[in-house]
Structures are given as C-alpha cells and as structure tokens.
Amino acid sequence: MNFDFSEDEKLVQEQTARYLTDKCGTDAVRAVLEGNEAYSSDVWQGLADMGLMGTALPEAYGGVEAGYLTLCLVAQELGRAVAPVPFSSSIYLAAEALRMFGSETQKELWLPKLATGEVVGTVAVTEGLIEAAADNLQTTVSGGAVSGRKLAVADGGIADLAVVLARGDQGVDMVLVELSGSGVSRHAVETVDPTRDTATIVFDGASSEMLGEPGAGWTQLDRLYDRAAVLFAFEQIGGAQAALDMAVGYANERFAFGRAIGSFQGLKHMMADMYVALKLAESNCYYAAWALASDSPELPLAAATARVSAIQAYQLCSRDNIQVHGGMGFTWEFDCHLYYRRSNYQTLQLGGLSVWENKLIDALAAAA
Amino acid sequence: MDFNDTPQEAEFRAEARAWIAANAPAHLHDALASSTFGGLNTGGEDPIEVSKDWQKKKAEAGWACLMWPTEYGGRGASPIENVIWNQEEGVYGKLSSMFIIGHGMCGPTMIAYASEEQKQRYLPKLASGEEVWCQLFSEPHGGSDLAGLRTRAEKDGDEWVINGQKIWTSGAQNSDYGILITRTDPNVAKHKGLTMFFLDMRSPGVDIRPIKQVNGQSGFNEVYFDDVRIPDAQRLGAVGDGWRVSLTTLMNERMAIGGSIPTGVPELLELVQSLAKDGGSAIEDPAVRSKLADWYAKSAGLRNTASRAISALSKGDIPGPENSIGKLVAGGLMQDVAKFGMDLQGFGSVLMDPKIAEGSARFQAMLLRSPAVRIEGGTDQILRNIIGERVLGLPDDMRADKGLPFNEIPSGN
C-alpha cells in the first residue's frame, strides 16, 4: 500500500507554498478584502508563470499534465493562503467542464488560454435564495440565446467565460457563454467573503454554445461537481490547517491568569478537537484524491465523504480559531475572519453541507 | 498513490492466507463473526480453551507474536507484515483478545528489560498462549494520573514486599503472570520513586476480585497485594526507573494501528436500509441521512487514517501523529450510533434478549460497552491533552504536584 503523495507531487506543493508565502501573505488577501482590487492579479500572474493552472490539463491543450494528485496539493496551498484568485472557478470548474464535455474545437480554443490564466472561466448556476436544482432553474436557452439572471456567480465579475446552466428544449443544458459579448450585463455583489469576487449576471439573449449533450446539463454538472468537490475539499483542509496553526500560535503566546492560555484544558481540548476534525478530513481527502486521479467508480462516494468532512473541519477550525483569540479574534485587524469568511463561502459553493450529505448517502446506498 | 502490496508483501499475504485457510477453526467462523461489542461468541465452546488452541497452533507454525524475535517465539516479521497478518486473520483474530495485553504490552517490556534467561523462559510460553499475562498499572488513586500510584514495594533482603491495590486489571483472573508498577520511594517526586517488576499471579498474598461492569460482564479486576514477596531478580529496569519502563509499555500500545476499533457505522447503515419509517425505508428520512453521512465520514476518516499509517509502515517509517485520533473518535462515535440505532426502533429496543432484539442485540451491546471505550487506555480527556501537548505543542497544564515529594502531594480522600 502506498497511500501517500509522491516526492514529485510534494515538490510542486512545496514550490507553491513557497511562492504563496512570499507573494500571497495576508496583505495581498486584505488588498482584495478592502476592495482595492477584485482579485489579486499579481498572484494570478505568478501562479500562471509557474504553470500551475495547467497542472492537470493535458499537454495537447497547453497543460503540464502533472496529474490530479498534484493539483490536489496545489489546491491545499491555495486554501492555506486564502488566495484571492479565481483558481477554483477557472480550473476546477470551467476548465474541467471543457475537458470533460467540450468538443475538440472548444477544447482547442479555450483550454490553452485557461491553462495560461489569460482567460478566466467560471460556472453560473445559482438563481435565487434556494439550493439550485434541475427543476427550479428559470434561465432559458433557445436557439443558442440565453436569458435569465444568475444571482451569485463566483468570480463572475472578472471571468471572461461562463459555463451556464439553463433550461433548453430537451431539459437542462450546459452552455458556454463569452461574457464580453452582447446581452450580458453584470455587477459586483457584496458577500460574506469579499476576498472572492462575486457578481450577479443578467443574460438577455446572450449567444452561447452547447457544452456536452443537450438536456444532459444537470447530470454533467453533478459529474463535474464530484470532481471539483475533491479539489475544493483540499482548499478547505489547507484553510483549516492555517486556522488551527493560527489558534495554536496565539494560545502559546497569549497569557492570562499568569499562564499561557493554551495550557487551559478548555482551550486545549477545543484545539485537539479541531485537530481531530482536520485529520479525519485530510485522510478522506487523500482517498478522494486517489479516486479522482484513478477515475475510480468510487469517486462519487469518496468525493462526498471528503467534501462533508472538509466542510466540517474548516467551519470548526475557523470558528474556534476566533474563540481562542477572544475579543481580538473579532477585530477586522486580526486575520481570523479571513478563514471564517472563506470557510463559509466555500461551504456553500457546489451546494452546501446538506447537499453533500445527501449525495454521500445516495452513493453509499448505491454501493451497498 | 495506490493500494497494492509490494511483491514481497503480496508473497507474505499469500503465505499467511494459505496457512489460515488450512488451519483456522472454520467451524467457529460464523459465531466469531457475530460476536457483539465487548463479547466473544465461540458457539457454545469454552472461549478460553478455543482461544488457547488457536494461539498454540499459530505459535507452532511461527504465526504468533510476529514482530518478536524468533528465539522468543516470534517470527522476526516487520510491522507491515504484522498488519497484513492481522488483515488476513480476520474474524479469527477475535480469539486473540485474551492475549492482547500480554503480547502487546508485557512481552515488549520483558524483551526490553528482562534478563536473557528470563526471556528464554517466559516469552515463548507467552507467545504460544500457554501462559497468560496481565498488566498491573492502574490504581484507585492512580488512573489518568498513573504516576500517582500508591502500591508500595519495600526491600527485604533479596526480595521485595508488596502491599496495596490495583484496579481495572484486564484478564487478571485468567493470568499466570503480570507486570507490576510500584512505589519504592515516597520521598521523591512522583515519577522518580517508581519501580517495575513481574510476578507470578499465584504468589501468596495476591487476591483477585472480578469487577462487575455496567454491561454485566467482568473483564476487569481488582487485585490486592498483602505482603506479596517478589525476588529482586524479577525487577524490570533500575530501582526508581519504573516510569521510564512503563513508557516503553505504553509506547507499544500507541504503536497499535487504529482503524479496527469498531464504530457501529456499518451496523447502522444496514439497519436504516432495512428498517421501515414513515411509509418508506429509514434511509430516506432526512434526519437519518444527515446523521449517517456525518458518522460515515468520520468512520471513513478513521479507515483512511489507518491506511496512511500502514503506508508509513510499508515504507519503514513511523506512522504520523494523526494515528493518535483513533480511539478518541471511535469511542464517542459508537456511543452516538448505538443511541440513534435504538431510537429508530422505539421503546422495544430496550430489550436485550438477543433472540428478540435486532441483530442479536448489537446496538444494546454497543450502548453498554461504549462508555468503557471512552475511558480505557486513556480517557477522552487525557487523549485530548496528549494531542494538545504532544502533537500541537501546547503548554502543559499547571500541576499542583510539580516537584513535590510524593508524600507531600495533596491527595483529597
């Protein structure tokens, strides 16, 4: 049994970590938080220079073809750094959708540009204050013209290209829309995590191309999300680890009642529980990484399991990191809220905890 | 990343599998497989006899205590081979439960500290199950605070005279020998005045009294020592060095690979798929789905964490600190699962009769066994301290007994 990442895979992780530590400290995250820019274009360019967007993409389409295991470890570092860049939307979702369902022409046109980061992609699904589902989509597509409103689109303000879910003649279609074209208007929206660009996009007869099979849009989205969930989960455990490290660091330095607060069992046990949640999630992420990289039929169960435990771990670690910091943890000045915001934002992307609990049980029942 | 054996591992697995297929007590398979939590079902046969028979058979063929040197009854196998053996032994491994303490803790301590002559005399019979060993550590006043123990050992010529009481001693009533930690000097700090011995459990003055537990069984005992005499030659380690010797023992316990600790999650899945609820199957109920998903993710996390530890062993590395979460997670999980499994079955599930209760009363057995899992071998609270201090590097708790001679430590009642 070799249930571990290879030296080559870990090397890419270390390089990514080194770069992000150097160039994507919390000052870079805070520049986006404060609204100085929609995303960190410097970090995005730096990641592009390292070829990281193309990590898992085929060489034939401008990628590095270093595999999904490597991409998982890159994701873990992006999560640890709370990186304010559209990596997840563009790579785990848009590029992956194109790779899975795109025609040869579509792949040749878009993947090389996504791999270099010169084009940013995203997925537009959510329309209202309800979990999106195949039977509640209002956006329509007819004769290639898309009309409707997508309420919350991650990186929707900066993306050039969107994978849009819309109701067509044969059911839900997955279509590709260039956001610079006519019939597209968008505006930034305020969210719980301002370090991530988010927009409402209104389509009014915008032209689109079919991605994959007509009427198969929602099934395709499910398959896409199973893969993306693994990468999101790695970002989440990266963030959870950073929040736990921050809590431990503070508990060692901060004194009260004449002793370091980390010596109090009330806090020590809380941090032990954060560690336990994180390690369960981490091990589940390893398994999901294996399932993703090996195209295993176990992917739906493995991905849901990793996603559920990664959501739990990141929410717990970011929440209790604030608790360890006491009042200082609730200040804008301390970085605790960066993890708290990101963990709750990422929880709801791809469908929230209850959605993934349901997917997990469906996969479990199907396997039994 | 893969889940394959190396060629050597595959060869070892094939050899183990073939030997087990040819030699295991197949007529006990189904009974063993249906053993509920905290109990051993041997289909009406004497559990001690069948356990000893299987152990002896394994020892004769070189499949006992695999990691011990061959001259002491072992196989000289690597940690990963030991893991593979355990996987292949499967349900028959349940027959090893009465030897776990002896093989996992007493044996390694004897290997590290006994004389060569003693090792030759005791270890092969310990490995073969002919002689059973127990570990006399915990006391009424020293459980989580083990170093607070009070059992005295006083030197008298070439012998030591032991007086005091141990408690929670697993299997003492079936044991031939035991390793015993005592206080030899109450005038120094608590960790410094301890000394380890091994003794014959039939020595005059040893009185073993089984403790009736919450679940009606009596796996644990109180052991009283009334002027029990132990030859100085049976001392393990130097006088006053007992704490260090005990850490050798406990380290061996912690090297045990988790993931095999039952959680009840597979049983719950089986239940909710077959149980009717609100005109459908219980697994369609949103509350059931949410809880099951949470618990499944935790049990999968334990299984995958065990795989990481096995991979480390396969490479010749030591498992990472994440391996320390197993019992902490499994104990609480089993308790929650048991309560929920019974809740789904209504008031009728208070019945313990295995002929009536679902699955031979497995959820009831879990309910009544799980409190012990959260205490034995380190309470949930002690495990959180260990994770906090040794894994995360948080400062030690403030100790009221720090630096004080043992006999000046406040002791309450």
Side-chain angles (χ1 to χ4, degrees):
Chain A
M1 186 182 295
N2 181 19
F3 186 45
D4 194 3
F5 294 89
S6 72
E7 293 309 315
D8 284 352
E9 288 151 4
K10 289 177 186 170
L11 187 66
V12 176
Q13 178 176 30
E14 281 163 31
Q15 287 165 346
T16 309
R18 236 188 340 262
Y19 169 76
L20 290 170
T21 304
D22 193 26
K23 302 288 187 194
C24 188
T26 49
D27 52 335
V29 183
R30 281 174 173 277
V32 178
L33 174 75
E34 304 285 1
N36 301 343
E37 49 183 349
Y39 72 107
S40 175
S41 50
D42 287 349
V43 172
W44 187 245
Q45 190 55 49
L47 297 170
D49 292 344
M50 293 172 76
L52 291 174
M53 283 79 150
T55 300
L57 289 171
E59 281 182 17
Y61 303 110
V64 183
E65 213 167 314
Y68 285 90
L69 292 174
T70 306
L71 186 59
C72 285
L73 296 182
V74 170
Q76 192 174 7
E77 295 311 316
L78 291 167
R80 195 190 311 266
V82 212
V85 290
F87 203 99
S88 54
S89 300
S90 199
I91 303 304
Y92 317 154
L93 289 167
E96 193 62 18
L98 276 155
R99 193 198 60 83
M100 292 170 79
F101 310 116
S103 67
E104 197 50 41
T105 314
Q106 288 168 331
K107 287 195 276 193
E108 279 174 8
L109 177 61
W110 294 112
L111 287 178
K113 291 176 182 163
L114 288 161
T116 58
E118 76 181 89
V119 162
V120 170
T122 189
V123 166
V125 182
T126 302
E127 299 183 349
L129 301 180
I130 184 175
E131 195 65 71
D135 59 9
N136 66 20
L137 288 184
Q138 304 291 321
T139 301
T140 59
V141 53
S142 182
V146 179
S147 292
R149 186 183 75 144
K150 294 294 181 182
L151 181 67
V153 180
D155 301 302
I158 54 180
D160 307 290
L161 185 68
V163 172
V164 180
L165 275 285
R167 182 163 304 287
D169 299 337
Q170 300 176 48
V172 175
D173 291 344
M174 181 179 271
V175 298
L176 207 54
V177 179
E178 282 190 65
L179 297 175
S180 57
S182 62
V184 179
S185 61
R186 46 182 164 167
H187 62 271
V189 287
E190 193 181 342
T191 73
V192 296
D193 184 8
T195 69
R196 298 287 286 106
D197 175 66
T198 310
T200 293
I201 304 182
V202 178
F203 300 99
D204 183 12
S207 56
S208 73
E209 282 181 24
M210 184 69 66
L211 191 57
E213 297 301 315
W218 199 265
T219 323
Q220 289 177 186
L221 185 71
D222 268 339
R223 287 174 57 206
L224 174 66
Y225 275 8
D226 279 347
R227 298 180 69 82
V230 181
L231 297 155
F232 271 82
F234 269 89
E235 284 207 8
Q236 289 169 304
I237 60 168
Q241 181 76 61
L244 174 58
D245 290 348
M246 191 179 172
V248 169
Y250 189 74
N252 270 317
E253 285 170 11
R254 167 83 178 179
F255 274 62
F257 304 100
R259 53 201 272 211
I261 61 170
S263 67
F264 292 108
Q265 293 192 343
L267 294 183
K268 185 179 291 177
H269 289 190
M270 199 164 78
M271 285 182 271
D273 287 340
M274 291 158 73
Y275 177 83
V276 167
L278 172 59
K279 292 297 144 172
L280 290 172
E282 192 177 275
S283 295
N284 284 335
C285 280
Y286 276 39
Y287 191 74
W290 168 80
L292 175 68
S294 60
D295 280 321
S296 163
E298 289 180 55
L299 179 67
L301 178 58
T305 304
R307 172 80 172 151
V308 164
S309 52
I311 286 173
Q312 291 173 337
Y314 199 6
Q315 286 194 321
L316 181 77
C317 289
S318 63
R319 183 194 78 178
D320 285 347
N321 179 39
I322 295 178
Q323 193 68 18
V324 167
H325 281 76
M328 295 311 291
F330 193 62
T331 62
W332 190 266
E333 181 191 346
F334 272 57
D335 289 334
C336 304
H337 64 127
L338 301 181
Y339 303 107
Y340 190 61
R341 292 174 186 284
R342 182 63 63 84
S343 70
N344 286 291
Y345 187 95
Q346 281 189 323
T347 289
L348 297 165
Q349 277 185 285
L350 314 183
L353 181 60
S354 57
V355 169
W356 287 93
E357 286 175 342
N358 268 317
K359 285 182 191 246
L360 191 162
I361 299 301
D362 285 341
L364 198 55
Chain B
M1 198 180 271
D2 66 64
F3 290 88
N4 306 327
D5 287 334
T6 66
Q8 295 93 318
E9 288 164 7
E11 194 180 318
F12 181 86
R13 187 184 297 280
E15 190 186 350
R17 187 173 292 181
W19 189 84
I20 289 164
N23 293 283
H27 65 287
L28 297 176
H29 184 279
D30 293 350
L32 288 171
S34 75
S35 293
T36 52
F37 300 87
L40 180 65
N41 182 357
T42 49
E45 295 188 39
D46 177 14
I48 295 180
E49 201 172 304
V50 294
S51 295
K52 286 194 167 191
D53 283 351
W54 176 229
Q55 193 60 33
K56 182 160 182 270
K57 209 167 184 180
K58 288 192 288 183
E60 283 167 358
W63 293 107
C65 298
L66 274 75
M67 285 160 65
W68 295 9
T70 47
E71 62 265 38
Y72 305 139
R75 192 184 184 86
S78 66
I80 188 65
E81 288 172 333
N82 191 47
V83 168
I84 292 169
W85 166 265
N86 289 335
Q87 289 169 343
E88 292 301 323
E89 192 181 16
V91 297
Y92 302 112
K94 295 186 182 192
L95 291 170
S96 304
S97 58
M98 70 179 290
F99 308 115
I100 284 175
I101 301 275
H103 292 163
M105 304 177 79
C106 304
T109 308
M110 291 291 285
I111 290 172
Y113 292 100
S115 70
E116 187 54 40
E117 191 187 344
Q118 287 165 340
K119 287 192 255 194
Q120 302 278 359
R121 155 65 187 84
Y122 293 104
L123 289 170
K125 288 186 177 179
L126 169 53
S128 69
E130 186 180 338
E131 291 171 350
V132 178
W133 286 57
C134 62
Q135 170 198 293
L136 300 142
F137 278 24
S138 292
E139 296 191 5
H141 291 276
S144 291
D145 180 16
L146 177 61
L149 62 90
R150 297 177 179 184
T151 294
R152 299 188 315 280
E154 288 155 325
K155 191 86 186 286
D156 181 24
D158 284 344
E159 291 182 322
W160 293 82
V161 182
I162 316 294
N163 282 287
Q165 183 200 345
K166 295 289 174 178
I167 195 168
W168 316 126
T169 313
S170 304
Q173 74 273 49
N174 302 317
S175 290
D176 302 287
Y177 295 92
I179 59 173
L180 170 71
I181 187 163
T182 64
R183 184 162 305 282
T184 43
D185 187 353
N187 300 306
V188 295
K190 65 177 183 178
H191 291 95
K192 295 186 174 160
L194 305 176
T195 304
M196 188 81 81
F197 300 94
F198 72 91
L199 85 162
D200 185 334
M201 291 298 284
R202 294 184 189 82
S203 305
V206 175
D207 181 14
I208 300 166
R209 302 180 197 169
I211 299 171
K212 187 168 182 182
Q213 298 155 199
V214 166
N215 62 355
Q217 296 172 352
S218 294
F220 303 117
N221 301 270
E222 294 177 293
V223 182
Y224 290 84
F225 297 86
D226 181 13
D227 284 336
V228 174
R229 302 186 82 85
I230 301 179
D232 186 55
Q234 291 179 201
R235 175 166 44 80
L236 296 169
V239 174
D241 212 17
W243 183 250
R244 199 162 64 90
V245 177
S246 78
L247 291 183
T248 310
T249 313
L250 298 171
M251 278 294 285
N252 273 284
E253 185 180 39
R254 288 176 53 215
M255 280 293 288
I257 302 303
S260 57
I261 311 169
T263 60
V265 171
E267 289 81 0
L268 183 64
L269 173 61
E270 200 182 301
L271 176 73
V272 299
Q273 285 180 307
S274 60
L275 192 70
K277 189 170 191 297
D278 304 332
S281 155
I283 198 172
E284 292 156 24
D285 181 283
V288 171
R289 295 170 75 84
S290 178
K291 282 183 186 294
L292 181 62
D294 176 25
W295 293 332
Y296 175 83
K298 287 190 168 68
S299 69
L302 291 180
R303 191 172 64 239
N304 292 325
T305 300
S307 294
R308 292 169 71 181
I310 292 168
S311 295
L313 294 179
S314 178
K315 288 185 205 164
D317 296 338
I318 295 170
E322 67 277 359
N323 203 39
S324 62
I325 68 175
K327 193 179 81 78
L328 178 58
V329 175
L333 191 48
M334 187 205 271
Q335 202 163 34
D336 290 343
V337 165
K339 283 189 293 184
F340 191 65
M342 290 171 67
D343 184 85
L344 288 172
Q345 300 174 64
F347 184 53
S349 69
V350 297
L351 298 182
M352 291 282 311
D353 185 341
K355 289 193 287 296
I356 300 169
E358 194 274 341
S360 304
R362 52 190 177 169
F363 290 101
Q364 292 78 2
M366 276 191 260
L367 179 79
L368 295 182
R369 169 65 185 148
S370 53
V373 180
R374 299 186 53 200
I375 297 166
E376 62 199 4
T379 63
D380 284 3
Q381 290 67 35
I382 289 290
L383 295 177
R384 287 191 175 94
N385 278 350
I386 290 174
I387 290 170
E389 292 166 18
R390 299 196 205 150
V391 179
L392 296 177
L394 291 166
D396 287 352
D397 201 354
M398 204 172 231
R399 293 174 200 272
D401 57 5
K402 196 164 188 175
L404 287 181
F406 176 73
N407 53 16
E408 291 174 22
I409 293 173
S411 62
N413 294 318

